[in-house]
Amino acid sequence: MFAHNKRLQYTVRVSEPNPGLANLMLEQFGGPQGELAAAMRYFTQAVSEDDPGRRDMLFDIATEELSHLEVIGNIVVMLNKGAKGRLAEGVDQEGEMYRAITGAGNDSHITQVLYGAGSPLTNSAGVPWTAAYIDTIGEPTADLRSNIAAEARAKIVYERLINLTDDPGVKEALGFLMTREIAHQKSFEKALYSIAPNFPPGKLAGRPEFASVYFNMSQGGPELNGSWNSGDKWQTVSDRDQQMGVDGGSGEASVQLDADDAELLNAMAARTMSDPSVDPMTGAELGMSAETAAMTPGASATGKQPPQPGTVH
Amino acid sequence: MFAHNKRLQYTVRVSEPNPGLANLMLEQFGGPQGELAAAMRYFTQAVSEDDPGRRDMLFDIATEELSHLEVIGNIVVMLNKGAKGRLAEGVDQEGEMYRAITGAGNDSHITQVLYGAGSPLTNSAGVPWTAAYIDTIGEPTADLRSNIAAEARAKIVYERLINLTDDPGVKEALGFLMTREIAHQKSFEKALYSIAPNFPPGKLAGRPEFASVYFNMSQGGPELNGSWNSGDKWQTVSDRDQQMGVDGGSGEASVQLDADDAELLNAMAARTMSDPSVDPMTGAELGMSAETAAMTPGASATGKQPPQPGTVH
Amino acid sequence: MFAHNKRLQYTVRVSEPNPGLANLMLEQFGGPQGELAAAMRYFTQAVSEDDPGRRDMLFDIATEELSHLEVIGNIVVMLNKGAKGRLAEGVDQEGEMYRAITGAGNDSHITQVLYGAGSPLTNSAGVPWTAAYIDTIGEPTADLRSNIAAEARAKIVYERLINLTDDPGVKEALGFLMTREIAHQKSFEKALYSIAPNFPPGKLAGRPEFASVYFNMSQGGPELNGSWNSGDKWQTVSDRDQQMGVDGGSGEASVQLDADDAELLNAMAARTMSDPSVDPMTGAELGMSAETAAMTPGASATGKQPPQPGTVH
Amino acid sequence: MFAHNKRLQYTVRVSEPNPGLANLMLEQFGGPQGELAAAMRYFTQAVSEDDPGRRDMLFDIATEELSHLEVIGNIVVMLNKGAKGRLAEGVDQEGEMYRAITGAGNDSHITQVLYGAGSPLTNSAGVPWTAAYIDTIGEPTADLRSNIAAEARAKIVYERLINLTDDPGVKEALGFLMTREIAHQKSFEKALYSIAPNFPPGKLAGRPEFASVYFNMSQGGPELNGSWNSGDKWQTVSDRDQQMGVDGGSGEASVQLDADDAELLNAMAARTMSDPSVDPMTGAELGMSAETAAMTPGASATGKQPPQPGTVH
Amino acid sequence: MFAHNKRLQYTVRVSEPNPGLANLMLEQFGGPQGELAAAMRYFTQAVSEDDPGRRDMLFDIATEELSHLEVIGNIVVMLNKGAKGRLAEGVDQEGEMYRAITGAGNDSHITQVLYGAGSPLTNSAGVPWTAAYIDTIGEPTADLRSNIAAEARAKIVYERLINLTDDPGVKEALGFLMTREIAHQKSFEKALYSIAPNFPPGKLAGRPEFASVYFNMSQGGPELNGSWNSGDKWQTVSDRDQQMGVDGGSGEASVQLDADDAELLNAMAARTMSDPSVDPMTGAELGMSAETAAMTPGASATGKQPPQPGTVH
Amino acid sequence: MFAHNKRLQYTVRVSEPNPGLANLMLEQFGGPQGELAAAMRYFTQAVSEDDPGRRDMLFDIATEELSHLEVIGNIVVMLNKGAKGRLAEGVDQEGEMYRAITGAGNDSHITQVLYGAGSPLTNSAGVPWTAAYIDTIGEPTADLRSNIAAEARAKIVYERLINLTDDPGVKEALGFLMTREIAHQKSFEKALYSIAPNFPPGKLAGRPEFASVYFNMSQGGPELNGSWNSGDKWQTVSDRDQQMGVDGGSGEASVQLDADDAELLNAMAARTMSDPSVDPMTGAELGMSAETAAMTPGASATGKQPPQPGTVH
């Protein structure tokens, strides 16, 4: 069960309202790398986790992320405080409010007009948060790696936001939030490596003949190799022919159909067959400009007579 | 700040696993009328609310909804418990697992294959939760009405789910959750009517000449009137002509353009003008079947000669 | 059946083009509180409504909202008229067009480049309209409350837009549209209260022992109570322990599994067990900077030997 | 199988960084008319196409579109190159970076803060690409028409982008990409008209009595007719009454229900009936301001007594 | 302005309720090829169209599509009528209702539980309608082609639905709707070819050297050529080298940076450089199973010593 | 530049059509952990990567994932081959086709009806692919971790799919695809650890006082600790009071407003103040059923008189 205390985890001191900066901060409120995504990623894992230690950790961190959501939300709200009053009570000089709304040079207009200078669950472009951001799949050796990566990404976005403001109170609170992502990453790393083995994730082993092959699919310039594709741990395949049909087969797709299905497919094929033997008049030619026709090789010899309604083709 | 206790707000006792029922329960976990939507609706309002009493109430109820999210999530997880083990550890008889995955007759296949029989933030059709469900706009006389409506909807969806199961533990927990929506609706009603006046919402009054008019836009059968459109509080307008241009104007849209803009628009109009004076050959006629042509009046007299490449039309 | 008349319901007179303002107006064309959302909310209710009076009202108002969609669309189009010509016909001085496209300080660039200065079904941030905005669930005592709330929200967004412009023709048309939301709210209120009883919505009663309880979930500061949580109609629960397991149970979740399922779950648990007894080397430690290591307590004593490939852990 | 060569299909020479222009270019990278949409439209058709010639063409063009995705992506990346370094390494004067991030006047802030000045799969408003843009339905006579239309749209968006920049290298590369859309449209036109007949698409013929009727649904002003609705190929129906129930029936919807279903529907209807005979007190009236009440006809005579709790209505 | 008449454009006679079939019909109510998409495609074009004839046609057809939305919505509602009553009023035998809800074998469960057996704006998979389906871009020579394609797709989906039911009333109404798509396609074709020239769409001509080139990007098997890529109208390029850098340049991307930007990029490059000269211990190796290690060539010689916290690398 | 060869990377041999299985396979075609997501994750990183070795690797793997997209797409298409013909050509016994369409027990109905038994870019629930799945942010030490996690997830989903089928050809091809995810994960691991240091990601160090703190936010039961939250590397904070205001401040949010802003906010607060001193009549009470009233404590003493229109409150 969740409980709430009215004090924030970290005190928020904002020097002055700035709706444009508020809008950028939304990135970590309702954005893909933000706190709701973090909280929900760990919460959904916690709820279905059977290992008691991991479950406890996941609830600990999910709950902290909810508290961070509240901190970043309060930063947004404080930065928007001036705009909120102006918007709610109206002003006489409309041109002035129009300039204020659109003057930040980013999407703060949407925050203000649609959301009343509040703290909506969108990213800084106004895109509503979606659970498509959540990559929980219910296997801990995969989910913990997802968590490690998510913390790394969140750390970076906080770093970028810190670089954007010189409000000392905002900077300080963001620094706290950024640091906590580092701490969380460390916890998830420990939890992952406490499962042994954890690679490859899951239960099925791979097929040995393909597990250490590196397909050199991008060619045509200098090849820069490293431990990721060369050395005695890798078998590199650069020959284009050997990159296809690697099972030794034809590289074709096939299915065994019964007679009825085959017949229907043939009927469809016949009905929709492209006849390569004619050069039909087309809609593009019907509508072609002289300029275009002039640059079209052979256009003056437009082949096939347009079909006459009333006859079968 | 949020805190978490490992006990649930309500004890969840599930009789036996049932992935199909688990999938239906997702409606209130990650669906539009579900608990995350509720929690986030009130949380976003709480964060930017300035009235201390309302803010307190919004945090109270947001926090309880998070606790409900946990309860419904646990119901889903328990109903999926059997599927989770089978899926993670594999089985020998694949046909059997295939039948189990697809046998529920609903979307439990997605929950199982993609989410590992966990509790994803989707509705029962597998659609990811989106903040587009959240209708917070930052004006309390509107937001409280949104909350009242949201509680009413959530109550109904719980009622439907209760009718779907005969597992007594599930029924009982759903009954608790449903009842809480009723209690929350009562709180929001009290909070709304504690603001006086609260209608119309916001600050601007409407234009009196249009505020009590009822436009009878759907006609052609028996008119059933009620207090919503008749009586001395309403002026009903049924005459089609009086429903248009109700300002007394032409009902046309206009803008004053400067000469440059006007010229460019004229150029565009000229370039893209539809010439109504000819009956051009078209792509449809090029490709028309005999059967279609036969049923096309006048098709045999297809007018205009197809354009000749190399000439201007 | 729908019919259309070329006259608008309200005459639109725009003083001069203004793509930035056009973009803000999109909020009520393709935004969540806009006219398409309104029209479709009521239309989907009307189609499945069995009560003839309500059905008639819902069609009346849905049809009027479609007519409002047309009015607001025409405002957008008129405000964009100058941009449309410039865009379609091109200009010689590209820098100039670039400045015009990006100069409004909001998302009018998307409207212009992608939609040709037309009237797309997006909100003012360019987010495409989604039926996730529609909260129709097919129970009139809930749907009518949703409609009341939706009208309140739409009224507020119009109010904000009115405050943003000093174009008298735009102001006047927006005032009409805003007023109609007031009128519609009044109709929906009458229709709701014409159903008796209408609270709680639906058919099932709540469980009396939980219907008047207020859980004080947010604590830690001054408690401001009101009619929404105090007085003789409420039983307030502030003791954290009494907020958990409110059914008197353990507050745990359980399910009865058969032996096969239990065995598989145990196998999964064993495979993915986190071993709390070791302090494993982790990826974070592999990649840790000296600066980070220095601030990590105990980092110099990194416990467990990294696993040796070739041996089982 | 796909292969990659490190050379681009077209050389990209950008004069100087310009994050605002980079952001506009995203329209054709991750926007609805952009190159990923094109590549995936044709790829999904190719994979399931049975006609060998068409399949080959679809793979040819899908592959070229992927190569175009790479070209436009490189344009974006080069235009963002300066921003990328500043963002990754931070700067001392935060105000400066804030101004740079928000100064473009469009959504380049999202590209920079969230995506690190890279090339994300969003349109120029930051809306993530969605497969909802893809209209492949698996019938070649429809899909080829979709392709023709898609190429036409993509051509136009390139044209608009060309008009926005005076960087000669960008202009030149965009000109190449635009021209290729023209070439692709020509190929798809030929492929469509090589299927005979191709109209109407699919297999079922339409019902002759409705296939050449034009319903004049928008009336009330001058009627401008053309070959699309007049002439001997069309039968125009302008009489409103003849536009309804065109099958000669009542224009009503009906279903045959068994007795049980009918009874339940009656029960629902009774439970949710709107009583038109009373004028109930409503929530709006409870909260009405004096100003609103004053302009409400008959408001002083608010009819029905509010219901007394404890009695049934 | 829109008006509504209570009679449908086509009488709907459903033989018996069938929620599974209702669910499939949603494809044309709230699906991508459905009637709302059609109505909104044409409506958004109509509102910003300047050519009076085309504008009139677009309003005519948009209005008819709204009337079709009503017809298909009524089919859905009638097919769901039995389910609606059962759901709203509850039943005693829950197992029975559960079987009814999940027995259709498709997504009718979502329609019933979430939408109360109404007619929601989703497709048959429960995915909410999105304006991302709308491809209006504001240039008539592109938009009319989009309309032609959209009508072709809608015709096909109706054809598939007709094949799925043997309810004669449903079949008949679907036949009407399908036929109207044919008629609309014919109108849009006429309107397109009434603009001359209409190819290439827009104003800018393509670059002649690339407008008739066909890049043979998919090779390796029999080449089946047709009028779409061969003949005297096409110059086919099959040589892989000639498909790259087709402008004669290097096929590389470049931008001119000033010294400051270059320095920052170098700093970033140095900070994030991958060192190819070492074979580092990795997280995968830390967690590798014995089985995996055994199949990893060279794994026993795991190169580089894991880094020691406290030292700089 | 991309090139295509008609041979697949792996030969696809399907024993017999099975639309239900085809639908499940979509998970890896257009699902969040599928091949398009993989290809686009690496492609977007490659395009903006400056390190030549990493860029080469990213293009190699992105290109291979596109080739996998083709393999899995061919599996889907082959499994759907029978359905495709039946659907396109229609059958006489509609009931039969209806049963076939809905008989799979999953969402294959959408694949068949809407997409013509092709291979759409949706997951197995029919949800369109979205770039919201892509978590590229342009910092290699974060992006490589995202790639590692993504490969882990994809491996698991393939494992689940393998367990679902006994078609040996499908099983074999899926085994190949699954194994390649393992190989890719190994490459990304090597590339990550070739950057030193790589933790914490990015440039800014965390704040030391918060980097090794573990907040025990979930309490109330047995605490299971491990290396993730205990030992000499962690400082654990369990005292609730010390979890709040961890900066030593009040835990409150504040902003400095100028006098004008403060005045407007006060005006708004006054206008929207909730009056806790009265117990107003509410909408819920207006509509309350007798049953509900009876269980409402104090309901018979409904306090405040409903407001009288015409007087100011």
Side-chain angles (χ1 to χ4, degrees), chain E residues 18-21 23-24 27 32-33 104-107 123-125 127 133 157 159-166 171 217-224 240 243-244 265 268-269 271-276 278-285 288 292 296-297 304 313, chain F residues 1-7 49-51 53-54 86-91 93-95 97-98 101-107 109-110 112-117 125-128 138-141 144 182 185-186 189-197 201-203:
Chain E
N18 182 342
L21 187 60
N23 185 68
L24 295 177
E27 212 55 67
Q33 319 307 341
N106 58 19
D107 281 273
N123 75 351
S124 77
V127 177
Y133 299 148
V157 177
E159 177 169 335
R160 290 174 183 162
L161 291 175
I162 289 171
N163 284 336
L164 280 174
T165 177
D166 50 8
K171 244 181 154 65
M217 306 295 271
S218 175
Q219 304 185 7
E223 298 283 345
L224 279 102
R240 291 290 190 201
Q243 294 173 345
M244 294 180 275
L265 279 170
M268 186 195 180
R271 181 170 63 77
T272 62
M273 184 193 66
S274 280
D275 183 349
V278 295
D279 179 9
M281 168 70 81
T282 70
E285 285 158 320
M288 202 173 275
T292 305
T296 305
K304 187 189 171 194
H313 335 270
Chain F
M1 197 202 72
F2 289 94
H4 185 262
N5 188 295
K6 288 164 194 164
R7 290 180 67 198
E49 178 60 74
D50 288 309
D51 186 79
R54 252 191 335 257
R86 281 197 302 275
L87 196 69
E89 300 308 302
V91 294
Q93 300 84 349
E94 297 89 352
M97 190 180 285
Y98 178 76
I101 290 278
T102 58
N106 58 19
D107 281 274
H109 63 91
I110 179 84
Q112 294 180 69
V113 177
L114 182 56
Y115 301 109
V127 177
E139 161 66 36
T141 55
L144 288 167
I182 297 173
Q185 182 176 343
K186 293 199 301 186
E189 296 255 6
K190 288 291 178 188
L192 172 62
Y193 293 100
S194 293
I195 305 174
K203 203 178 168 202

Side-chain angles (χ1 to χ4, degrees), chain B residues 78-148:
Chain B
M78 290 300 133
L79 287 166
N80 267 333
K81 206 52 118 182
K84 188 184 176 189
R86 282 197 303 274
L87 195 70
E89 300 307 301
V91 295
D92 289 336
Q93 300 83 348
E94 296 89 351
E96 212 171 280
M97 190 181 287
Y98 177 76
R99 275 188 298 276
I101 291 279
T102 57
N106 59 17
D107 281 273
S108 74
H109 63 91
I110 179 85
T111 317
Q112 295 181 70
V113 177
L114 183 55
Y115 301 109
S119 190
L121 284 166
T122 68
N123 74 351
S124 76
V127 177
W129 192 89
T130 163
Y133 299 148
I134 304 295
D135 44 25
T136 299
I137 63 164
E139 162 65 35
T141 53
D143 286 345
L144 288 167
R145 285 182 167 96
S146 297
N147 300 355
I148 289 167

Side-chain angles (χ1 to χ4, degrees), chain C residues 1-6 51 54 90 94 98 101-102 107 109-110 113-114 116 126 139 189-190 193-194 196 202, chain D residues 20-21 27 105-107 123-124 160 164-165 171 217-219 222 240 243 272 274-275 279-280 283-285 313:
Chain C
M1 197 201 70
F2 289 93
H4 184 262
N5 189 295
K6 288 162 194 166
D51 187 78
R54 253 190 336 257
E94 296 89 352
Y98 176 77
I101 290 279
T102 58
D107 281 273
H109 62 91
I110 179 85
V113 177
L114 183 56
E139 162 66 36
E189 297 255 6
K190 288 291 178 188
Y193 293 100
S194 294
Chain D
L21 188 59
E27 212 55 68
N106 58 18
D107 280 273
N123 74 350
S124 77
R160 291 174 184 164
L164 280 175
T165 177
K171 246 181 150 65
M217 306 293 272
S218 176
Q219 303 185 7
R240 291 291 189 201
Q243 294 173 345
T272 63
S274 281
D275 182 351
D279 178 10
E285 285 158 321
H313 335 268

Side-chain angles (χ1 to χ4, degrees), chain A residues 1-6 51 54 90 94 98 101-102 107 109-110 113-114 116 126 139 189-190 193-194 196 202, chain C residues 20-21 27 105-107 123-124 160 164-165 171 217-219 222 240 243-244 272 274-275 279-280 283-285:
Chain A
M1 196 202 72
F2 289 93
H4 184 262
N5 189 296
K6 287 164 196 164
D51 187 79
R54 244 180 355 244
E94 297 89 352
Y98 177 77
I101 291 278
T102 58
D107 281 275
H109 62 92
I110 178 84
V113 178
L114 183 54
E139 161 66 36
E189 296 256 6
K190 288 291 179 189
Y193 293 100
S194 294
Chain C
L21 188 59
E27 212 56 66
N106 58 20
D107 281 273
N123 74 351
S124 77
R160 291 174 183 161
L164 281 174
T165 177
K171 244 181 155 65
M217 306 295 272
S218 175
Q219 304 185 7
R240 290 291 190 201
Q243 293 174 345
M244 295 180 276
T272 62
S274 280
D275 183 351
D279 179 9
E285 285 158 319

